[in-house]
Amino acid sequence: MARFAAAREWGQYHTPKNLAAALSVEASELLEIFQWLTPEQAAAVMDDPDSAFRVRDEVADVLAYTLQLCEVLGIDALEALAAKIDRNERRFPAGPYPLDR
Amino acid sequence: MARFAAAREWGQYHTPKNLAAALSVEASELLEIFQWLTPEQAAAVMDDPDSAFRVRDEVADVLAYTLQLCEVLGIDALEALAAKIDRNERRFPAGPYPLDR
Amino acid sequence: MARFAAAREWGQYHTPKNLAAALSVEASELLEIFQWLTPEQAAAVMDDPDSAFRVRDEVADVLAYTLQLCEVLGIDALEALAAKIDRNERRFPAGPYPLDR
Amino acid sequence: MARFAAAREWGQYHTPKNLAAALSVEASELLEIFQWLTPEQAAAVMDDPDSAFRVRDEVADVLAYTLQLCEVLGIDALEALAAKIDRNERRFPAGPYPLDR
């Protein structure tokens, strides 16, 4: 992705602030697919080839901007995720738990 | 993460629609860090330990919900990303390019 | 609100781009209240005084940033809304209708 | 808008949770217009008739879903806004102020 952006001279647009905005826009495009669906319809979203394609496409956009933001900010994405999982293990001891994050 | 959620009986909350909403909420919490910053201040966000921690923490939340959504929908995240990169290679031939996606 | 922002010298932060980002962040904070609720729990959200307060507070933030964005861009909010309702009347003739916007 | 939705039998979709999701999606569509613009380009967004139309159109969608959410939850939008302005007057006394909300 870094090579892809460089070959198109998109680095000038890919500032941290712009990438954070673009990531939140893509996450909303993913949510848009689900917004009017009942929980049951939402659970069956991958059964229809067209919506399955849209979901995969938007998931890819979210991942792409997340990783590009990590690239420009020097963040190791998997290390950040592992550290967060450790913090959550301490914050929410195992056992049935009302979800309130 | 799947084991973490199961141990707390959070599977009942982790429907596709709820996870898509939670992902967009976390992406906005990441954007919130940047919302009042100038482009220059945003580029220096990792120089301050406190904001660097917040950025890493929110990036981890975004990744966590993206991967959990992939888990419940049976999506291979890296395959979805690779397919999107291929489509973008065809859609935007290399060369300087006004970004308009 | 314009006087309130001017008295605190916040005009420098209230650029169109920043206000659009802040508005989307506030809309996500409103969504956050609902993200793990079932449709039934969500419909009863105003029965609990604490969540009723939070919902009203986030609705106010959304309205405040929407109106401040209109102020800095010279948009008449009610005129924009009336024009959109007219377009929707033509786009979606009355009658039962699968919602697909 | 209430009559418009009723005539199309959209009330079934207009649950509080769905409207909160739709509102956040529309706020992101508004942000999308600004996401790659420099602060200077963003400030001039109303000079181009096409982008001016898009901005007005998305502002209208944000307002429409905000008001429809207020309708289904029994919230008086202007009263919520006035109460918030009062709280902010006490929270942020007048005077130059680093914006940190």
Side-chain angles (χ1 to χ4, degrees):
Chain A
M1 286 187 296
R3 278 197 306 273
F4 181 91
R8 283 143 193 88
E9 300 185 8
W10 283 354
Q12 56 184 316
Y13 304 108
H14 285 185
T15 64
K17 184 166 177 162
N18 288 2
L19 287 168
L23 167 56
S24 91
V25 167
E26 294 299 335
S28 284
E29 292 182 2
L30 180 56
L31 176 59
E32 191 180 11
I33 302 171
F34 296 96
Q35 67 185 348
W36 305 118
L37 304 185
T38 62
E40 294 69 34
Q41 292 168 326
V45 78
M46 302 304 284
D47 296 349
D48 172 65
D50 284 349
S51 21
F53 177 86
R54 281 180 70 201
V55 172
R56 274 196 209 93
D57 192 57
E58 298 298 352
V59 162
D61 283 336
V62 166
L63 264 176
Y65 284 125
T66 305
L67 296 177
Q68 287 177 96
L69 182 65
C70 288
E71 172 87 6
V72 300
L73 292 179
I75 292 173
D76 181 318
L78 293 182
E79 192 177 280
L81 185 54
K84 179 76 189 219
I85 292 173
D86 282 351
R87 284 195 297 278
N88 275 346
E89 292 277 1
R90 289 191 294 273
R91 198 171 147 211
F92 304 103
Y97 219 82
L99 190 153
D100 183 27
R101 287 173 281 199
Chain B
M1 287 187 296
R3 279 197 306 273
F4 182 90
R8 282 144 193 86
E9 301 185 8
W10 283 354
Q12 58 185 313
Y13 305 107
H14 285 186
T15 64
K17 183 167 177 161
N18 288 1
L19 288 168
L23 167 56
S24 91
V25 167
E26 295 300 335
S28 283
E29 292 183 2
L30 180 56
L31 176 59
E32 191 181 10
I33 302 171
F34 296 95
Q35 68 186 347
W36 306 118
L37 304 185
T38 62
E40 293 71 33
Q41 291 168 328
V45 78
M46 303 304 283
D47 296 348
D48 172 66
D50 284 349
S51 20
F53 177 86
R54 282 180 70 201
V55 171
R56 275 197 209 92
D57 192 58
E58 298 299 351
V59 162
D61 283 336
V62 166
L63 264 177
Y65 284 125
T66 305
L67 296 176
Q68 286 176 97
L69 182 64
C70 287
E71 173 87 6
V72 300
L73 292 179
I75 292 173
D76 182 319
L78 293 183
E79 191 175 281
L81 185 54
K84 179 75 190 219
I85 292 172
D86 283 351
R87 285 196 296 279
N88 275 346
E89 293 275 1
R90 289 190 293 274
R91 197 171 149 212
F92 304 103
Y97 220 83
L99 190 153
D100 183 26
R101 288 174 282 200
Chain C
M1 287 187 296
R3 278 196 308 271
F4 182 89
R8 282 143 193 88
E9 300 185 7
W10 284 353
Q12 56 184 316
Y13 304 107
H14 285 185
T15 64
K17 183 166 178 164
N18 288 1
L19 287 169
L23 167 55
S24 91
V25 167
E26 294 300 334
S28 284
E29 291 183 3
L30 181 56
L31 176 59
E32 191 180 11
I33 302 171
F34 296 96
Q35 68 185 347
W36 305 118
L37 304 185
T38 61
E40 293 71 31
Q41 292 168 327
V45 78
M46 303 303 284
D47 296 349
D48 172 65
D50 284 349
S51 20
F53 177 86
R54 282 180 69 201
V55 172
R56 275 197 208 93
D57 192 58
E58 299 299 351
V59 162
D61 283 336
V62 166
L63 264 177
Y65 284 124
T66 306
L67 296 177
Q68 286 177 96
L69 182 64
C70 288
E71 173 86 7
V72 300
L73 292 178
I75 293 172
D76 182 318
L78 293 182
E79 192 177 282
L81 185 54
K84 178 75 189 221
I85 292 173
D86 282 351
R87 285 196 295 280
N88 275 345
E89 293 276 2
R90 288 191 294 272
R91 197 170 148 213
F92 304 104
Y97 219 83
L99 191 153
D100 183 27
R101 287 174 282 199
Chain D
M1 286 187 296
R3 280 197 305 273
F4 182 91
R8 283 143 193 88
E9 299 185 8
W10 284 353
Q12 57 184 316
Y13 304 108
H14 285 185
T15 65
K17 183 167 178 162
N18 288 1
L19 287 169
L23 167 56
S24 91
V25 167
E26 295 300 335
S28 283
E29 291 183 3
L30 181 56
L31 176 59
E32 190 180 12
I33 302 171
F34 296 95
Q35 67 184 349
W36 306 118
L37 304 185
T38 62
E40 293 70 32
Q41 291 168 327
V45 78
M46 303 304 283
D47 295 350
D48 172 67
D50 284 349
S51 20
F53 178 86
R54 282 180 69 201
V55 172
R56 274 197 209 92
D57 191 58
E58 299 298 351
V59 162
D61 283 336
V62 166
L63 264 176
Y65 284 125
T66 305
L67 296 177
Q68 286 177 97
L69 181 64
C70 287
E71 173 88 5
V72 299
L73 292 178
I75 292 173
D76 182 318
L78 293 183
E79 192 177 280
L81 184 54
K84 178 75 189 219
I85 292 172
D86 282 350
R87 284 196 297 280
N88 275 346
E89 293 274 2
R90 289 191 294 273
R91 196 171 149 212
F92 304 103
Y97 219 82
L99 191 154
D100 183 28
R101 287 174 282 198

mmCIF file of all heavy atoms in Angstrom, chain A residues 85 87-98, chain B residues 3-10:
data_model
loop_
_atom_site.group_PDB
_atom_site.id
_atom_site.type_symbol
_atom_site.label_atom_id
_atom_site.label_comp_id
_atom_site.label_asym_id
_atom_site.label_seq_id
_atom_site.Cartn_x
_atom_site.Cartn_y
_atom_site.Cartn_z
ATOM 1 N N ILE A 85 -5.010 -5.995 24.341
ATOM 2 C CA ILE A 85 -5.598 -7.243 24.848
ATOM 3 C C ILE A 85 -5.105 -7.497 26.272
ATOM 4 O O ILE A 85 -5.889 -7.855 27.155
ATOM 5 C CB ILE A 85 -5.277 -8.423 23.892
ATOM 6 C CG1 ILE A 85 -6.039 -8.222 22.564
ATOM 7 C CG2 ILE A 85 -5.661 -9.758 24.520
ATOM 8 C CD1 ILE A 85 -5.673 -9.225 21.473
ATOM 9 N N ARG A 87 -4.173 -5.214 28.487
ATOM 10 C CA ARG A 87 -4.864 -4.279 29.387
ATOM 11 C C ARG A 87 -6.293 -4.735 29.646
ATOM 12 O O ARG A 87 -6.790 -4.635 30.764
ATOM 13 C CB ARG A 87 -4.873 -2.861 28.796
ATOM 14 C CG ARG A 87 -3.536 -2.145 28.908
ATOM 15 C CD ARG A 87 -3.656 -0.629 28.669
ATOM 16 N NE ARG A 87 -4.118 -0.273 27.331
ATOM 17 C CZ ARG A 87 -3.330 -0.223 26.259
ATOM 18 N NH1 ARG A 87 -2.047 -0.514 26.334
ATOM 19 N NH2 ARG A 87 -3.824 0.126 25.086
ATOM 20 N N ASN A 88 -6.966 -5.226 28.594
ATOM 21 C CA ASN A 88 -8.349 -5.676 28.772
ATOM 22 C C ASN A 88 -8.445 -6.917 29.651
ATOM 23 O O ASN A 88 -9.415 -7.085 30.394
ATOM 24 C CB ASN A 88 -9.002 -5.924 27.410
ATOM 25 C CG ASN A 88 -9.570 -4.647 26.810
ATOM 26 O OD1 ASN A 88 -9.698 -3.634 27.515
ATOM 27 N ND2 ASN A 88 -9.893 -4.674 25.537
ATOM 28 N N GLU A 89 -7.440 -7.802 29.573
ATOM 29 C CA GLU A 89 -7.426 -8.989 30.447
ATOM 30 C C GLU A 89 -7.441 -8.552 31.912
ATOM 31 O O GLU A 89 -8.102 -9.162 32.757
ATOM 32 C CB GLU A 89 -6.168 -9.845 30.192
ATOM 33 C CG GLU A 89 -6.102 -10.536 28.841
ATOM 34 C CD GLU A 89 -6.876 -11.863 28.795
ATOM 35 O OE1 GLU A 89 -7.495 -12.241 29.814
ATOM 36 O OE2 GLU A 89 -6.868 -12.497 27.731
ATOM 37 N N ARG A 90 -6.697 -7.498 32.231
ATOM 38 C CA ARG A 90 -6.658 -7.016 33.618
ATOM 39 C C ARG A 90 -7.917 -6.234 33.984
ATOM 40 O O ARG A 90 -8.384 -6.280 35.122
ATOM 41 C CB ARG A 90 -5.424 -6.118 33.829
ATOM 42 C CG ARG A 90 -4.104 -6.906 33.828
ATOM 43 C CD ARG A 90 -2.934 -6.066 34.305
ATOM 44 N NE ARG A 90 -2.633 -4.976 33.383
ATOM 45 C CZ ARG A 90 -1.819 -5.100 32.332
ATOM 46 N NH1 ARG A 90 -1.225 -6.247 32.072
ATOM 47 N NH2 ARG A 90 -1.592 -4.076 31.541
ATOM 48 N N ARG A 91 -8.448 -5.502 32.985
ATOM 49 C CA ARG A 91 -9.585 -4.616 33.245
ATOM 50 C C ARG A 91 -10.893 -5.396 33.404
ATOM 51 O O ARG A 91 -11.768 -5.008 34.176
ATOM 52 C CB ARG A 91 -9.687 -3.648 32.058
ATOM 53 C CG ARG A 91 -10.481 -2.400 32.271
ATOM 54 C CD ARG A 91 -10.267 -1.474 31.062
ATOM 55 N NE ARG A 91 -11.431 -0.691 30.753
ATOM 56 C CZ ARG A 91 -11.772 -0.283 29.532
ATOM 57 N NH1 ARG A 91 -11.022 -0.610 28.489
ATOM 58 N NH2 ARG A 91 -12.849 0.450 29.348
ATOM 59 N N PHE A 92 -11.035 -6.468 32.627
ATOM 60 C CA PHE A 92 -12.263 -7.266 32.671
ATOM 61 C C PHE A 92 -11.904 -8.706 33.017
ATOM 62 O O PHE A 92 -11.719 -9.529 32.106
ATOM 63 C CB PHE A 92 -12.974 -7.237 31.313
ATOM 64 C CG PHE A 92 -13.307 -5.861 30.809
ATOM 65 C CD1 PHE A 92 -12.544 -5.264 29.809
ATOM 66 C CD2 PHE A 92 -14.381 -5.145 31.337
ATOM 67 C CE1 PHE A 92 -12.854 -3.989 29.339
ATOM 68 C CE2 PHE A 92 -14.697 -3.873 30.865
ATOM 69 C CZ PHE A 92 -13.924 -3.292 29.860
ATOM 70 N N PRO A 93 -11.807 -9.059 34.315
ATOM 71 C CA PRO A 93 -11.492 -10.451 34.666
ATOM 72 C C PRO A 93 -12.518 -11.389 34.030
ATOM 73 O O PRO A 93 -13.693 -11.018 33.878
ATOM 74 C CB PRO A 93 -11.617 -10.464 36.188
ATOM 75 C CG PRO A 93 -11.549 -9.039 36.624
ATOM 76 C CD PRO A 93 -12.070 -8.215 35.491
ATOM 77 N N ALA A 94 -12.078 -12.610 33.688
ATOM 78 C CA ALA A 94 -12.979 -13.560 33.030
ATOM 79 C C ALA A 94 -14.187 -13.864 33.914
ATOM 80 O O ALA A 94 -14.151 -13.704 35.131
ATOM 81 C CB ALA A 94 -12.239 -14.846 32.678
ATOM 82 N N GLY A 95 -15.282 -14.323 33.303
ATOM 83 C CA GLY A 95 -16.526 -14.591 34.017
ATOM 84 C C GLY A 95 -17.631 -13.829 33.327
ATOM 85 O O GLY A 95 -17.361 -12.852 32.630
ATOM 86 N N PRO A 96 -18.901 -14.272 33.512
ATOM 87 C CA PRO A 96 -19.999 -13.554 32.847
ATOM 88 C C PRO A 96 -19.955 -12.093 33.274
ATOM 89 O O PRO A 96 -19.683 -11.794 34.428
ATOM 90 C CB PRO A 96 -21.260 -14.249 33.351
ATOM 91 C CG PRO A 96 -20.834 -15.214 34.397
ATOM 92 C CD PRO A 96 -19.353 -15.391 34.326
ATOM 93 N N TYR A 97 -20.267 -11.194 32.357
ATOM 94 C CA TYR A 97 -19.927 -9.808 32.600
ATOM 95 C C TYR A 97 -20.877 -8.916 31.845
ATOM 96 O O TYR A 97 -21.026 -9.050 30.624
ATOM 97 C CB TYR A 97 -18.509 -9.579 32.055
ATOM 98 C CG TYR A 97 -17.695 -8.676 32.923
ATOM 99 C CD1 TYR A 97 -17.053 -9.178 34.040
ATOM 100 C CD2 TYR A 97 -17.607 -7.314 32.629
ATOM 101 C CE1 TYR A 97 -16.309 -8.351 34.853
ATOM 102 C CE2 TYR A 97 -16.863 -6.491 33.444
ATOM 103 C CZ TYR A 97 -16.211 -7.006 34.537
ATOM 104 O OH TYR A 97 -15.480 -6.178 35.339
ATOM 105 N N PRO A 98 -21.543 -7.975 32.522
ATOM 106 C CA PRO A 98 -22.335 -7.021 31.743
ATOM 107 C C PRO A 98 -21.381 -6.168 30.922
ATOM 108 O O PRO A 98 -20.428 -5.622 31.462
ATOM 109 C CB PRO A 98 -23.042 -6.179 32.801
ATOM 110 C CG PRO A 98 -22.218 -6.321 34.031
ATOM 111 C CD PRO A 98 -21.539 -7.667 33.948
ATOM 112 N N ARG B 3 -11.504 -16.024 22.270
ATOM 113 C CA ARG B 3 -11.520 -16.649 23.609
ATOM 114 C C ARG B 3 -11.862 -15.616 24.679
ATOM 115 O O ARG B 3 -12.630 -15.890 25.606
ATOM 116 C CB ARG B 3 -10.146 -17.255 23.930
ATOM 117 C CG ARG B 3 -9.910 -18.620 23.312
ATOM 118 C CD ARG B 3 -8.743 -19.343 23.990
ATOM 119 N NE ARG B 3 -7.519 -18.544 23.998
ATOM 120 C CZ ARG B 3 -6.620 -18.529 22.999
ATOM 121 N NH1 ARG B 3 -6.790 -19.295 21.948
ATOM 122 N NH2 ARG B 3 -5.550 -17.768 23.075
ATOM 123 N N PHE B 4 -11.296 -14.421 24.559
ATOM 124 C CA PHE B 4 -11.547 -13.343 25.523
ATOM 125 C C PHE B 4 -13.054 -13.033 25.608
ATOM 126 O O PHE B 4 -13.628 -12.956 26.703
ATOM 127 C CB PHE B 4 -10.764 -12.101 25.098
ATOM 128 C CG PHE B 4 -10.909 -10.932 26.035
ATOM 129 C CD1 PHE B 4 -10.032 -10.756 27.091
ATOM 130 C CD2 PHE B 4 -11.918 -9.996 25.847
ATOM 131 C CE1 PHE B 4 -10.161 -9.670 27.953
ATOM 132 C CE2 PHE B 4 -12.060 -8.918 26.709
ATOM 133 C CZ PHE B 4 -11.181 -8.758 27.764
ATOM 134 N N ALA B 5 -13.685 -12.880 24.443
ATOM 135 C CA ALA B 5 -15.119 -12.564 24.415
ATOM 136 C C ALA B 5 -15.946 -13.727 24.957
ATOM 137 O O ALA B 5 -16.907 -13.520 25.721
ATOM 138 C CB ALA B 5 -15.548 -12.216 22.985
ATOM 139 N N ALA B 6 -15.558 -14.957 24.594
ATOM 140 C CA ALA B 6 -16.318 -16.132 25.051
ATOM 141 C C ALA B 6 -16.253 -16.256 26.575
ATOM 142 O O ALA B 6 -17.266 -16.563 27.227
ATOM 143 C CB ALA B 6 -15.780 -17.399 24.380
ATOM 144 N N ALA B 7 -15.071 -16.004 27.173
ATOM 145 C CA ALA B 7 -14.902 -16.143 28.619
ATOM 146 C C ALA B 7 -15.752 -15.146 29.399
ATOM 147 O O ALA B 7 -16.025 -15.333 30.581
ATOM 148 C CB ALA B 7 -13.422 -15.968 28.995
ATOM 149 N N ARG B 8 -16.158 -14.056 28.739
ATOM 150 C CA ARG B 8 -16.986 -13.034 29.398
ATOM 151 C C ARG B 8 -18.438 -13.085 28.921
ATOM 152 O O ARG B 8 -19.238 -12.204 29.251
ATOM 153 C CB ARG B 8 -16.375 -11.650 29.121
ATOM 154 C CG ARG B 8 -15.159 -11.402 30.019
ATOM 155 C CD ARG B 8 -14.063 -10.618 29.341
ATOM 156 N NE ARG B 8 -12.818 -10.672 30.107
ATOM 157 C CZ ARG B 8 -11.907 -11.672 29.974
ATOM 158 N NH1 ARG B 8 -12.107 -12.666 29.129
ATOM 159 N NH2 ARG B 8 -10.812 -11.647 30.717
ATOM 160 N N GLU B 9 -18.766 -14.091 28.117
ATOM 161 C CA GLU B 9 -20.124 -14.234 27.566
ATOM 162 C C GLU B 9 -20.564 -12.993 26.788
ATOM 163 O O GLU B 9 -21.701 -12.547 26.898
ATOM 164 C CB GLU B 9 -21.137 -14.580 28.681
ATOM 165 C CG GLU B 9 -20.753 -15.881 29.380
ATOM 166 C CD GLU B 9 -21.759 -16.363 30.425
ATOM 167 O OE1 GLU B 9 -22.847 -15.776 30.528
ATOM 168 O OE2 GLU B 9 -21.434 -17.351 31.118
ATOM 169 N N TRP B 10 -19.626 -12.439 26.027
ATOM 170 C CA TRP B 10 -19.932 -11.249 25.238
ATOM 171 C C TRP B 10 -20.425 -11.596 23.828
ATOM 172 O O TRP B 10 -20.795 -10.695 23.073
ATOM 173 C CB TRP B 10 -18.697 -10.333 25.134
ATOM 174 C CG TRP B 10 -18.447 -9.552 26.391
ATOM 175 C CD1 TRP B 10 -19.245 -9.492 27.504
ATOM 176 C CD2 TRP B 10 -17.321 -8.704 26.672
ATOM 177 N NE1 TRP B 10 -18.694 -8.672 28.457
ATOM 178 C CE2 TRP B 10 -17.498 -8.171 27.971
ATOM 179 C CE3 TRP B 10 -16.178 -8.347 25.957
ATOM 180 C CZ2 TRP B 10 -16.589 -7.310 28.566
ATOM 181 C CZ3 TRP B 10 -15.278 -7.482 26.546
ATOM 182 C CH2 TRP B 10 -15.479 -6.964 27.846
#
